[in-house]
Amino acid sequence: MTSLEHCQALDAKDPLRPLRELFSLPAGVIYLDGNSLGALPRTAAARVAHAVTQEWGDGLIRSWNSAGWFDLPQRVGDKIARLVGASAGTVVATDTTSINLYKVLSAALTIAAQDVPQRKRVVSERSNFPTDLYIAQALCQERGYELLLVEAEQIDAALLADAAVMMLTHVNYRTGAMFDMAGVTAMAHASGALMVWDLAHSAGAVPVALEADNADFAVGCGYKYLNGGPGAPAFVWVHPRHTDRFWQPLAGWWGHAAPFAFTPEYRPASGISRYLCGTQPILSMTALDCALDCFLAVQDCVPAQDVMAALRAKSLALTDMFITLFDERCAGYELELVTPRTHAVRGSQVSLARTTGAYAIMQALIARGVIGDFRAGAAADTGKSEGADILRFGLTPLYLGFADVWQALEHLCQIMDSGEWRDDKFNQKHAVT
Ligand SMILES: *Cc1c(COP(=O)(O)O)cnc(C)c1O
């Protein structure tokens, strides 16, 4: 049986342990929901306050130039590029993941209409995050395409034979299962389809190599593992072979080659800047910019290592510890592990399925300060426990330790042994789960 002392010893020799101090986490909280809303970096409050009082208050309109507001989407994009295997100048931080997905899927369909006009199908995973599927549904309707939704295991070359575009989320938000980006992209290309990746649960959590893996388009989220704060700008990447081929559909003035020329005709900027649309949320973008510097600090802890490789090693050690403790202690609770045990196909979360009571169990955990989250009716598409709900635990290597994982499992066991989750107060649903 793995002991708390063993976990504390692992924390003591963890080279990334000092990074926890970069975050402001409330006392008594074990935060396992950084995959939904990342924690607050300690420097963010002062940095945003500076942007409000000095840059906005004193600088006023001058700050678009003097405080560097104008090219903030590109500068923040460059910081993200390093974490997702993209070159400088190929990523911008802007808008939301949903909106960016609309832009890239639209651009991909435009390219496909030209290159493979007979193909009228977009393929995605049935258990993809719903907003991705909704955006795809709307675009397919608008453009006369069919959206084909399949299970992850069904994706193969034959299925893609008449697909224009395949759109997948790299790490599944419910199960934590991760696709082989290189292999799946190569399969799509060999079949003649373009490949769009959503990195919402990957950026800042697992190594991503967009260029090396030869993806076509990618979007991702700023407020999950990147810790940019609630509603932080998302990001968009387009492979340079495509960027200048087409306009993106939301051709606003910020994507214009010369926005301040105020010409009546749209002329897109060259490069990824054309994926901007309108004026950016500078205060949110400032918080995201600040949060990304936490990733630079990884290099101070493990100088010889790549940032994401170092974070990945710890992330896997944390999810392994969670799974080990689950195996050792949670038999008999009718909980089922739905996250893959195989490292190569595991993201940075652990999900447990239960046919009944998952919501109340999570509420009971939250009442004890162990914050994860709940996702409804999940496991039908995992091939296990049909209809079961999911308890989701995001394990963020920047600020979590092994003793945190041990304590979280200890609380879970106590809640299951005592049956306290059956209390009425844990069974009342809130708007946001
Ligand atoms: C979190 C998440 C989103 C969020 O989209 P928003 O536009 O920021 O609300 C989109 N897609 C996936 C796969 C996600 O996990």
Side-chain angles (χ1 to χ4, degrees), residues 96-99 128-129 131-132 169 173 198 200-201 221 223-224:
T96 66
T97 306
S98 307
I99 293 172
N128 200 341
F129 192 86
T131 199
D132 297 44
T169 297
Y173 76 106
D198 187 330
H201 290 273
C221 185
Y223 54 77
K224 292 174 178 161

Side-chain angles (χ1 to χ4, degrees), residues 90-302:
T90 65
V91 174
V92 279
T94 185
D95 297 332
T96 66
T97 306
S98 307
I99 293 172
N100 289 334
L101 193 62
Y102 182 84
K103 295 175 205 168
V104 299
L105 191 53
S106 173
L109 290 178
T110 304
I111 291 175
Q114 186 166 309
D115 294 355
V116 283
Q118 73 289 359
R119 295 181 174 218
K120 290 288 176 198
R121 183 176 271 180
V122 174
V123 173
S124 192
E125 187 187 2
R126 183 175 300 282
S127 73
N128 200 341
F129 192 86
T131 199
D132 297 44
L133 300 181
Y134 304 159
I135 293 283
Q137 277 166 36
L139 256 169
C140 284
Q141 253 172 49
E142 192 183 307
R143 302 281 200 101
Y145 282 76
E146 176 210 3
L147 177 62
L148 178 67
L149 299 182
V150 298
E151 312 305 327
E153 314 78 65
Q154 294 173 299
I155 295 170
D156 62 16
L159 179 84
L160 295 172
D162 58 357
V165 178
M166 178 147 72
M167 176 194 84
L168 294 174
T169 297
H170 183 218
V171 176
N172 186 284
Y173 76 106
R174 290 197 294 214
T175 62
M178 181 167 74
F179 283 108
D180 162 16
M181 183 178 284
V184 171
T185 304
M187 187 204 301
H189 287 171
S191 311
L194 290 164
M195 189 68 229
V196 175
W197 288 106
D198 187 330
L199 305 179
H201 290 273
S202 311
V206 299
V208 175
L210 286 172
E211 274 171 28
D213 292 348
N214 202 23
D216 295 295
F217 298 89
V219 299
C221 185
Y223 54 77
K224 292 174 178 161
Y225 291 98
L226 299 182
N227 308 306
F235 66 90
V236 51
W237 170 84
V238 177
H239 193 287
R241 67 175 164 260
H242 301 308
T243 326
D244 289 335
R245 277 185 77 184
F246 296 102
W247 298 9
Q248 55 102 346
L250 304 178
W253 70 310
W254 271 58
H256 193 280
F260 288 90
F262 293 105
T263 56
E265 294 81 30
Y266 183 72
R267 186 161 52 86
S270 73
I272 195 65
S273 295
R274 72 176 54 188
Y275 279 79
L276 300 176
C277 178
T279 309
Q280 300 303 306
I282 294 301
L283 300 178
S284 295
M285 188 96 62
T286 299
L288 174 59
D289 185 33
C290 182
L292 287 164
D293 291 338
C294 297
F295 287 89
L296 295 180
V298 174
Q299 258 156 356
D300 302 334
C301 304
V302 282

